[in-house]
Amino acid sequence: MSAVKKVVLAYSGGLDTSIIIPWLKENYGCAVIAMVADVGQGEELDGIVEKAKKSGADKVYVEDLKEELITEVIWPTLKAGAVYEGKYLLGTSMARPVIARRQVEIAHAEGADALAHGCTGKGNDQVRFELTYKALDPSLKIIAPWRVWNLRSREEEIDYGQARGIPVPVTKEKNYSMDRNIWHISYEGGILEDPWQAPAEEMFLIGKSPELAADEPEIVTVSFVKGVPTALNGEELPPVALLQKLNELGARHGIGRVDLVENRLVGMKSRGVYETPGGTILVVAHRELEHLCIDRDTLHYKDVIAVRYAELVYYGQWFSQLRRALDAFVEETQTWVTGDVRLKLYKGNTIIMGRRSPYSLYQHDLATFGADQVYRQADAEGFINLFGLPMTVEAARRAKAGKGEPQ
């Protein structure tokens, strides 16, 4: 192993990073700085500084990155309409570049020569962390213990930690992994590795199931300015408070659970279960306002780039030129996406009740089926004749050739 003097570890307090600290010291003889990113894990961070030090960390940083995560990554991804494979709202994916960037910044401040993470060699997160490292400072060494050590299972990790007196946050009986931030929580591994096996209700930490959700519906209004959520029920709120309140509402009404067999970047399929209560409300509301305020051609083309944008986020390419270029397009599309969306939250459903905008493209005198003086319905005949001309010509050719109807 190459010489390393000081390493900054992305430390979560979970099983992997808990045992990585002593492993780094045993195998590299280096100083270890544990960098804890507060991205909205809540009580999971209680006592984390003491825990990192007990594991052998020489220094511990706890960085509050919640607002940075929301304003610099979540809001742009929301505005882009990016959803991976039609279901995953990219919670873990969005947090990684923010965490990795702060690692690099601390490495510079501390004079560290290496960075480390606890991602497995089978997952997406290793790519997300390391592409960020490479984009921001390719001179720093990268240590990925899961790719080089001889521990091959979570059970072996648990034994390793227990042999060194390090408290580990999972047991062999409950060994699925979780990742939580202010946008979502994900669950993977353990019993979830069987895609036929339904997740146990007690696994979920944020919201109620739709069956156990509130029996009375709740009406809420979300307001946007240029595509960015700014207020809830008429009350302007800063980003963190706004998302926290939406999470509470969504959790109470059983909103935001997703069970997905997804295609990992590394080539395999994996099964993930997610809770994204507030995020689900925002995605539905934002999309509805776009329908009101964005013209047809722009909206349809935006749908095309949303798929690619989601891939960039999922693949860890946040600091790529393509993502920045797509952001320029997205920002233009959001120029007029200002207004309010009213929704009913009930038993896992986010139901649109109304939408309004000072920049609405919906015009009653054009859309009405009643008498109107604006739209001359007789003009439609000429439009249809011209629009359908290629099909008319094709039909004539087929008839002349005796080919009959196209299949």
Side-chain angles (χ1 to χ4, degrees):
M1 295 182 178
S2 59
V4 171
K5 295 180 180 179
K6 187 183 293 185
V7 59
V8 180
L9 168 68
Y11 180 77
S12 68
L15 172 60
D16 296 330
T17 56
S18 293
I19 66 168
I20 282 174
I21 293 176
W23 184 88
L24 286 170
K25 287 179 162 293
E26 291 172 13
N27 288 273
Y28 290 88
C30 60
V32 178
I33 299 172
M35 195 282 285
V36 180
D38 178 0
V39 287
Q41 305 95 310
E43 67 279 358
E44 290 181 21
L45 298 181
D46 293 347
I48 198 165
V49 173
E50 293 74 15
K51 182 177 182 181
K53 289 181 177 179
K54 286 181 180 179
S55 296
D58 297 283
K59 191 171 184 179
V60 183
Y61 281 81
V62 178
E63 302 290 294
D64 187 347
L65 304 179
K66 293 190 292 293
E67 184 161 348
E68 185 176 316
L69 169 61
I70 295 172
T71 59
E72 297 186 24
V73 184
I74 291 178
W75 286 171
T77 303
L78 174 69
K79 289 189 286 185
V83 178
Y84 187 68
E85 297 192 336
K87 295 178 74 174
Y88 175 40
L89 300 187
L90 296 165
T92 297
S93 313
M94 291 190 290
R96 295 320 190 208
V98 175
I99 298 170
R101 178 173 61 186
R102 188 54 55 91
Q103 264 187 283
V104 173
E105 292 168 350
I106 290 174
H108 291 165
E110 290 285 343
D113 55 342
L115 303 167
H117 60 74
C119 310
T120 73
K122 288 185 175 182
N124 301 304
D125 276 343
Q126 59 181 336
V127 183
R128 296 164 184 157
F129 273 100
E130 294 181 33
L131 289 189
T132 301
Y133 301 158
K134 292 177 184 296
L136 302 182
D137 188 348
S139 71
L140 291 168
K141 298 183 182 71
I142 299 173
I143 303 174
W146 261 102
R147 299 205 298 258
V148 295
W149 65 17
N150 59 5
L151 302 174
R152 289 293 173 260
S153 68
R154 294 196 180 277
E155 289 76 16
E156 290 183 12
E157 286 186 278
I158 293 170
D159 291 338
Y160 181 94
Q162 290 175 343
R164 289 157 178 76
I166 297 171
V168 293
V170 299
T171 66
K172 293 179 181 180
E173 291 73 34
K174 185 180 179 181
N175 66 347
Y176 50 80
S177 66
M178 298 177 291
D179 179 78
R180 185 172 189 172
N181 60 46
I182 195 167
W183 184 252
H184 89 155
I185 186 169
S186 66
Y187 310 89
E188 290 184 315
I191 61 172
L192 299 178
E193 291 181 350
D194 178 1
W196 185 251
Q197 177 69 49
E201 183 60 34
E202 57 268 20
M203 180 189 77
F204 294 98
L205 299 181
I206 298 180
K208 297 179 179 179
S209 69
E211 295 90 341
L212 300 176
D215 290 326
E216 295 297 322
E218 191 164 356
I219 307 296
V220 299
T221 300
V222 182
S223 301
F224 296 83
V225 174
K226 294 187 175 182
V228 174
T230 57
L232 179 62
N233 295 328
E235 178 188 3
E236 290 192 8
L237 294 168
V240 173
L242 176 63
L243 190 48
Q244 287 172 335
K245 286 202 171 187
L246 284 167
N247 280 333
E248 293 170 5
L249 287 167
R252 184 158 63 242
H253 292 280
I255 290 167
R257 288 190 182 183
V258 167
D259 189 331
L260 170 64
V261 175
E262 67 200 57
N263 288 292
R264 284 183 180 173
L265 172 59
V266 294
M268 69 186 71
K269 289 187 182 290
S270 66
R271 193 264 192 102
V273 177
Y274 305 97
E275 291 185 88
T276 318
T280 299
I281 296 170
L282 286 177
V283 167
V284 172
H286 177 262
R287 179 61 173 173
E288 197 63 28
L289 191 59
E290 285 191 323
H291 278 290
L292 192 66
C293 300
I294 299 180
D295 69 274
R296 179 192 64 198
D297 289 349
T298 303
L299 186 66
H300 289 183
Y301 193 76
K302 183 173 181 289
D303 286 344
V304 174
I305 74 101
V307 174
R308 188 70 183 98
Y309 199 105
E311 290 175 342
L312 291 172
V313 177
Y314 189 84
Y315 296 166
Q317 295 172 294
W318 183 258
F319 291 102
S320 66
Q321 184 176 6
L322 177 56
R323 195 274 304 171
R324 293 192 297 271
L326 291 180
D327 268 347
F329 169 78
V330 171
E331 282 302 308
E332 175 62 27
T333 70
Q334 301 300 292
T335 301
W336 309 109
V337 185
T338 294
D340 309 305
V341 180
R342 190 171 67 247
L343 312 103
K344 179 192 291 186
L345 312 180
Y346 182 63
K347 296 290 185 183
N349 295 293
T350 305
I351 304 164
I352 299 297
M353 300 294 289
R355 74 291 277 163
R356 63 187 179 190
S357 169
Y359 309 117
S360 171
L361 293 177
Y362 178 89
Q363 294 185 26
H364 179 268
D365 54 356
L366 284 175
T368 180
F369 283 95
D372 67 85
Q373 304 298 318
V374 179
Y375 185 95
R376 285 175 21 109
Q377 297 194 31
D379 291 344
E381 181 179 358
F383 164 73
I384 295 170
N385 288 337
L386 292 177
F387 187 68
L389 184 58
M391 299 178 72
T392 303
V393 173
E394 167 66 9
R397 181 179 67 181
R398 295 187 68 84
K400 185 177 181 180
K403 296 291 187 179
E405 293 183 4
Q407 301 300 311

